[in-house]
Amino acid sequence: MLLIDAKAVHERLQGAQSAQANLAEAQELARLQKSLAAKTAALHALVARGAMLAQGGVPLSQGADFDAMRKIVNGLRTRFSQLPTSNTLTHGKHWTGLMTALDTAIATVEANQRNDWSAYVANSLFAGLPPDQRKVGLVQIPENKAAFDKYTRLYEKFARYRSTVPATAQALEEVQQYSNDLAGIKFEENVPKNVEAFINALAFGASLELLTPEVMAYLRERELLGSYVVRARV
């Protein structure tokens, strides 16, 4: 009876050890799968973004070379199908080689897309001055003020995208539209000198001597007479 009980206990211990070993193997395979899934998801997202950029008219440079990675993956797939254990994957340099290849591909594709986007912004999108520089020398007649306000709003939105690669087709369309809208804004640059002197003096109180017939004609032609009033200097 004692031998029978001892044998039963031994068999239960062996079963528990086997179950524990199977659990440890399952946990290790899950860990490897999680690590691989994170890297492949990151690479897939970059490839999808590249396709979106290309479809949106952004010229892209040559991508990463995936041939070496494919060879590693095919080799691991064959070995794992023959012996599906975690040790099959991690034995030797194949697994670390795959992880390194994925990291390299992710870094290469991301860097290429950043460079391609920077080149596209510099060569194909709006290249005008930022608002603080564009305002210099701009005569503040009402039409220029309205145009400048619009310019400032659009430029702020446009500038947010210039250093960041758009993640969606909608974002790409938005930055392209902002660029087109900025390029379409026109300012009145050919303002006569005496009109410019009158406008510039308004901030401090323009003398009536500056309101010459030519200035009056300029303001009347553009229906701007009602934009200004005369106040006595006390």
Side-chain angles (χ1 to χ4, degrees):
M1 179 66 70
L2 183 61
L3 290 176
I4 294 175
D5 290 343
K7 183 179 180 181
V9 171
H10 179 67
E11 289 176 349
R12 284 198 296 270
L13 288 173
Q14 284 184 321
Q17 290 174 346
S18 177
Q20 185 176 7
N22 290 336
L23 176 60
E25 173 67 9
Q27 290 174 336
E28 177 62 10
L29 284 173
R31 184 187 70 81
L32 295 173
Q33 189 275 337
K34 184 177 181 181
S35 176
L36 179 62
K39 294 182 187 297
T40 54
L43 183 58
H44 180 270
L46 287 170
V47 171
R49 186 173 73 175
M52 178 272 296
L53 292 172
Q55 187 174 5
V58 180
L60 298 179
S61 56
Q62 186 175 0
D65 184 4
F66 297 112
D67 289 341
M69 192 186 307
R70 291 192 186 96
K71 291 179 182 178
I72 297 174
V73 171
N74 290 335
L76 284 172
R77 182 188 295 115
T78 300
R79 292 173 59 196
F80 191 74
S81 63
Q82 296 171 350
L83 186 60
T85 67
S86 60
N87 188 60
T88 300
L89 295 175
T90 58
H91 181 71
K93 298 181 179 180
H94 289 84
W95 183 261
T96 56
L98 176 59
M99 295 294 101
T100 300
L102 282 168
D103 287 337
T104 301
I106 290 170
T108 299
V109 173
E110 190 168 19
N112 286 347
Q113 288 184 6
R114 284 199 304 268
N115 293 335
D116 293 337
W117 176 248
S118 294
Y120 176 72
V121 170
N123 299 324
S124 302
L125 296 185
F126 183 71
L129 296 172
D132 58 337
Q133 297 180 35
R134 186 64 186 86
K135 190 175 183 179
V136 175
L138 188 65
V139 181
Q140 295 299 301
I141 56 176
E143 58 192 274
N144 277 350
K145 287 183 178 180
F148 183 76
D149 288 344
K150 181 180 180 181
Y151 185 95
T152 300
R153 291 194 303 271
L154 287 173
Y155 196 93
E156 289 176 353
K157 296 177 181 179
F158 173 70
R160 288 199 295 265
Y161 287 105
R162 290 199 305 174
S163 58
T164 303
V165 183
T168 64
Q170 180 181 354
L172 177 58
E173 291 173 0
E174 284 179 356
V175 70
Q176 290 171 333
Q177 187 61 53
Y178 294 149
S179 175
N180 292 336
D181 291 345
L182 282 167
I185 295 177
K186 304 300 181 183
F187 295 101
E188 178 57 64
E189 305 283 3
N190 298 319
V191 179
K193 291 297 182 181
N194 53 357
V195 175
E196 181 178 353
F198 172 74
I199 298 295
N200 290 340
L202 289 174
F204 309 100
S207 168
L208 287 178
E209 293 178 349
L210 295 174
L211 193 59
T212 63
E214 184 179 2
V215 173
M216 288 287 292
Y218 181 93
L219 297 177
R220 183 179 292 108
E221 179 183 348
R222 288 160 178 77
E223 299 182 352
L224 295 176
L225 284 176
S227 300
Y228 307 101
V229 296
V230 177
R231 288 190 176 91
R233 177 179 295 174
V234 179

